[in-house]
Amino acid sequence: ASSSASVTTAEISVTGSASWHAMNVLIDCLQDLYMAVDPETDSHMPLPNDFANESWTHLRSAIILALSTIKSQSGHTPIRVVELLLTFFNFRSDEAVSNPTQSNVEVVPNYYDDIHYRATLLLAFSRVRFETISSISYNRTGNVSLNSSSSQSLVSEVISLCLSTINAAFTLARSTARIHYMSLFTAGDAFSRSHPLPVLQGSGLDVAAAITCLAEIDIQATAISSAPNSLGQSTNRGKESMMALQERDRITIGSCVFPTGTGLATGFNYLKCILHPSSSYKCVHMHSATNGTTTSEKDIKAEGFYFLCSPLVRVAAFEAFVRLSFAQYLSHENRFIALHGGGKKGAAAATNAESAPPKLPESTFIAAVFEVLAVVLKTDPTLWVRQQCARALLDAIQDRNPRVVVQELS
């Protein structure tokens, strides 16, 4: 072990905003044990994975997860930590392993999969709180445009790696399928149809972790979207930009607001992992999938994605949808007031006005959660999925952290 790691608990406690002793100790330990200096760039780069050394692997995961929990006094993750996590994710080597405890490094073939390692890194990203995500700007097409600052580029990079992880996993599953897609749509109900084999590698653990990470970013963006000062919504352009986003994570039909299951910042549709795309629901308006097509159509690609979702992916997506729906419900009134000047506060302020501001519409965010859970309990063939989805709703009500990926990694 590194000498820098041999300190007491009291010594590594962060005592003030200017003191990052705990973070420095963990980073030094990570660099001493798991990184080497690249002579070309003169920077620390991760060593090749050595999954055969279990203690070496578990210690690295523990340090990475510990780093992700470090926050400033304002509750944000230091940029240095995010950059280090991105370095480990982008420069991981699975082609060969080496023994870092020996002076003569021996390179041997690596026969171990790195799905658990990737899932650990994605879980660490899900615990990151970005300081400048509040400077997200929205254009009139409803797409999210991140500012060019270093912190904002990190947010964009994390979203990109999560989406690429999901796309790569499903592309691999489809390309290695032994049964043609058309065999999915034979007679019988949805879940009695034959599934393409093999399914997602590692039970889709990395996909579940990526979904959890995307949901946490969307929850942060949802909370910020209800703060007018953060988005500059005092101007007409800001209001028009936010109105464009109404069609992304929620949609107003008549006098009611329905969730779409799509994240505000990431554009990922969580419901497409849980609900069959050809079905219709009372409290959910499914559309705006990540590929730009409507999930309500009987599209072979959308159905293929739905059937390839493993039980773990379905639970993680439901957990993400529940937490996101609760965040949308809590920010609904403030967001409406920011856009229209309506609601209770706006009505009180405009008592003497000729025409009262628009009334705060009803929302189905909470009702949608219970409707989706009812669909899962009725249609999902896996008892474990039904149990975990019910547990995920209870955890969200009690304001507990996401647990399904942590449970699978433990």
Side-chain angles (χ1 to χ4, degrees), residues 9-184:
T9 305
E11 289 174 328
I12 65 173
S13 61
V14 179
T15 58
S17 59
S19 175
W20 293 102
H21 191 67
M23 181 182 71
N24 294 332
V25 167
L26 290 173
I27 291 178
D28 289 343
C29 184
L30 200 61
Q31 291 177 343
D32 291 344
L33 294 177
Y34 302 100
M35 305 183 78
V37 178
D38 187 351
E40 296 182 359
T41 61
D42 196 25
S43 60
H44 285 85
M45 302 298 292
L47 291 170
N49 293 326
D50 184 13
F51 297 122
N53 189 337
E54 291 189 11
S55 60
W56 187 82
T57 301
H58 287 305
L59 179 60
R60 178 182 59 180
S61 298
I63 296 174
I64 288 174
L65 292 176
L67 276 172
S68 67
T69 62
I70 294 178
K71 305 291 186 294
S72 65
Q73 286 186 338
S74 60
H76 301 117
T77 305
I79 292 181
R80 185 182 178 191
V81 172
V82 183
E83 292 175 339
L84 187 62
L85 294 177
L86 285 171
T87 300
F88 270 87
F89 192 93
N90 293 329
F91 295 96
R92 65 189 189 279
S93 174
D94 304 312
E95 297 179 356
V97 297
S98 60
N99 189 346
T101 62
Q102 298 179 357
S103 57
N104 297 325
V105 176
E106 179 183 2
V107 178
V108 296
N110 182 10
Y111 299 106
Y112 294 87
D113 199 346
D114 73 334
I115 284 184
H116 279 72
Y117 176 47
R118 279 184 281 134
T120 300
L121 288 168
L122 291 168
L123 177 62
F125 282 121
S126 72
R127 297 175 177 178
V128 169
R129 297 297 176 263
F130 296 98
E131 184 173 4
T132 58
I133 195 173
S134 59
S135 60
I136 289 180
S137 59
Y138 305 89
N139 58 39
R140 297 188 179 184
T141 62
N143 295 322
V144 177
S145 174
L146 296 174
N147 294 344
S148 58
S149 64
S150 59
S151 182
Q152 284 302 120
S153 63
L154 293 178
V155 180
S156 179
E157 190 169 354
V158 172
I159 294 175
S160 177
L161 67 87
C162 288
L163 294 177
S164 62
T165 297
I166 296 172
N167 292 334
F170 279 91
T171 299
L172 179 62
R174 285 192 293 264
S175 63
T176 57
R178 299 293 185 263
I179 304 176
H180 193 268
Y181 278 130
M182 294 306 298
S183 64
L184 293 175

Side-chain angles (χ1 to χ4, degrees), residues 221-238:
T222 298
I224 290 166
S225 69
S226 62
N229 294 335
S230 299
L231 295 173
Q233 295 170 5
S234 58
T235 64
N236 291 332
R237 182 177 181 182

